[in-house]
Structures are given as structure tokens and as C-alpha cells.
Amino acid sequence: DVKVTQSSRYLVKRTGEKVFLECVQDMDHENMFWYRQDPGLGLRLIYFSYDVKMKEKGDIPEGYSVSREKKERFSLILESASTNQTSMYLCASRTPQGSGSPLHFGNGTRLTVT
Amino acid sequence: KQEVTQIPAALSVPEGENLVLNCSFTDSAIYNLQWFRQDPGKGLTSLLLIQSSQREQTSGRLNASLDKSSGRSTLYIAASQPGDSATYLCAVGFVGRRALTFGSGTRLQVQP
């Protein structure tokens, strides 16, 4: 079974703090994704990575950066947390689009910025 | 614009009923379509993945169909149970996009 593990289930941070959200997958997947989910707005793609050190902006990259130094790990960084970044953050992974494999999600990190 | 729509946003049914959840998409050029389940406060669990060359996929009491030409997919749940209560999301892999595009989901409540 594919396992996507997000390091924290709940995080509370203060405005202006630098925040790291970590995600690890155990299936050697090339593609990894970060989404945020908000009531009424659904899932929105922040960033994704199609291989080590490779990344592309998603639909809402402002205020975020990412790091993929190893294939199994994809980190989301909030450089200076703001209250409008309070949200549920979901990490996902799979083999490349068109390869026929499903997308697998972690359990999510509920981030509150005060 | 490539979009995915799920209607209704919420549905409440009595236990034992067969039900259909709908998903529509605006572009027939797709790689695949995936159905997910999400319990409150949790991540998404993959239910079924249909490739663009397939018409349907089945897993237990779940059956998903795909009609690319009309831009529609349905998720059929047979003999619903209270444990099926969750939000069901549809996501489409459009050609030309590396990431899936998600619908906003249907929140299902199965009454005992």
C-alpha cells in the first residue's frame, strides 16, 4: 500500500513565522503535490514537483515556496505566515500523468495562523 | 477553461437506498478520472480510477462510469450504509495539465 505521510496533523503558528510542512512518500513516485482546502473553495493546487529539484507553480503559489531535495520528500514553506494561510494542507503523490496510476493523499495538516 | 462540477453539493438518503453522485467536466480530452472519499478532518482516500479508454470501474458496492463525449461521470453506491457518510470528490486529469482538477464535492449523509 502506498503511504503518504505528513509530519504534523495540527500546527498553530504566529503571524510572521516561517513554517515548514513536510511530506514523505514511500512508493518512489516522481510527482508530488501540495494542495490547500478551504470551505467553499475546494482543493486548490499550490505547487507540484515532477522530479527531484524540479517544481512548477500551481494555481495559488503566492506566499509559498517548496523544496524537493530527495525523491521521497516534498516540503512546503510559508516564508512569513499570515492569517489568510490558515487552512487544511494536503500532500499527494503518484507516477507521472498519463501513466495510469492513482493519486494518493496524506492525512492532511490543519494549520492555524494567529 | 477546464472545470469540474459536482451537483448536488449535499445529499441525504435513508439507509439501504441506491444512489448516484454526478460529476461533469468541460473538456473531453482527458487522461483519466478519479473518485475520492473524504471523512471530516481527514485526507482523501482514492475509491476508483477510470482511464480515458474505459467506460466503468467497480469496487465492491461502488461503480463509476465515464462518458467522455458528454463530459460526465457517475458514482453509483449500492445499498448505502451510514458508514458511507462522507464527502465524495471527483477529479479529472485533463490533457495538457500535470495535476488533477477537482470538483467541489458532494457531501453525503446516510440516515440509519
Side-chain angles (χ1 to χ4, degrees):
Chain A
D1 259 7
V2 175
K3 195 155 180 69
V4 180
T5 303
Q6 293 184 231
S7 54
S8 304
R9 289 283 284 126
Y10 300 95
L11 273 180
V12 180
K13 297 292 181 181
R14 295 191 179 226
T15 302
E17 275 192 78
K18 190 168 186 176
V19 181
F20 293 86
L21 302 184
E22 306 286 347
C23 175
V24 176
Q25 50 95 4
D26 66 356
M27 283 302 291
D28 203 37
H29 286 163
E30 290 85 355
N31 291 180
M32 295 188 75
F33 305 83
W34 276 106
Y35 291 88
R36 65 178 280 179
Q37 185 177 33
D38 301 285
L41 296 175
L43 270 86
R44 294 180 290 167
L45 181 66
I46 306 170
Y47 264 100
F48 77 94
S49 169
Y50 48 94
D51 210 336
V52 175
K53 298 189 188 293
M54 308 302 283
K55 61 187 179 186
E56 276 191 24
K57 293 179 180 179
D59 301 316
I60 51 162
E62 297 78 19
Y64 303 95
S65 63
V66 290
S67 173
R68 185 129 180 241
E69 296 297 317
K70 293 185 177 181
K71 194 173 187 180
E72 67 270 19
R73 185 179 297 270
F74 191 35
S75 303
L76 180 69
I77 304 154
L78 286 66
E79 296 291 342
S80 178
S82 64
T83 55
N84 63 13
Q85 292 178 311
T86 292
S87 186
M88 170 71 107
Y89 289 87
L90 293 161
C91 175
S93 75
R94 65 147 192 235
T95 55
Q97 181 70 293
S99 66
S101 81
L103 186 66
H104 297 272
F105 279 87
N107 276 330
T109 296
R110 171 76 63 185
L111 173 66
T112 301
V113 183
T114 61
Chain B
K1 189 180 175 187
Q2 294 164 326
E3 294 181 336
V4 180
T5 303
Q6 292 184 251
I7 295 173
L11 183 63
S12 182
V13 300
E15 182 177 3
E17 209 168 275
N18 302 324
L19 59 100
V20 173
L21 306 181
N22 296 297
C23 172
S24 61
F25 47 95
T26 54
D27 186 347
S28 61
I30 68 171
Y31 290 114
N32 50 41
L33 184 145
Q34 195 169 352
W35 282 94
F36 295 88
R37 168 189 173 133
Q38 186 177 30
D39 294 292
K42 299 284 182 65
L44 280 67
T45 300
S46 179
L47 297 174
L48 290 163
L49 171 69
I50 311 178
Q51 304 299 335
S52 63
S53 59
Q54 297 174 321
R55 294 300 299 266
E56 65 178 342
Q57 281 284 341
T58 299
S59 176
R61 294 183 293 109
L62 304 180
N63 176 277
S65 68
L66 174 64
D67 183 345
K68 274 194 311 180
S69 60
S70 66
R72 291 179 188 275
S73 175
T74 60
L75 180 67
Y76 174 83
I77 303 177
S80 58
Q81 302 170 358
D84 294 330
S85 298
T87 297
Y88 291 82
L89 294 107
C90 162
V92 177
F94 289 110
V95 172
R97 285 192 60 123
R98 295 188 196 251
L100 296 181
T101 302
F102 282 81
S104 53
T106 295
R107 190 170 70 253
L108 172 66
Q109 183 77 30
V110 180
Q111 307 287 351

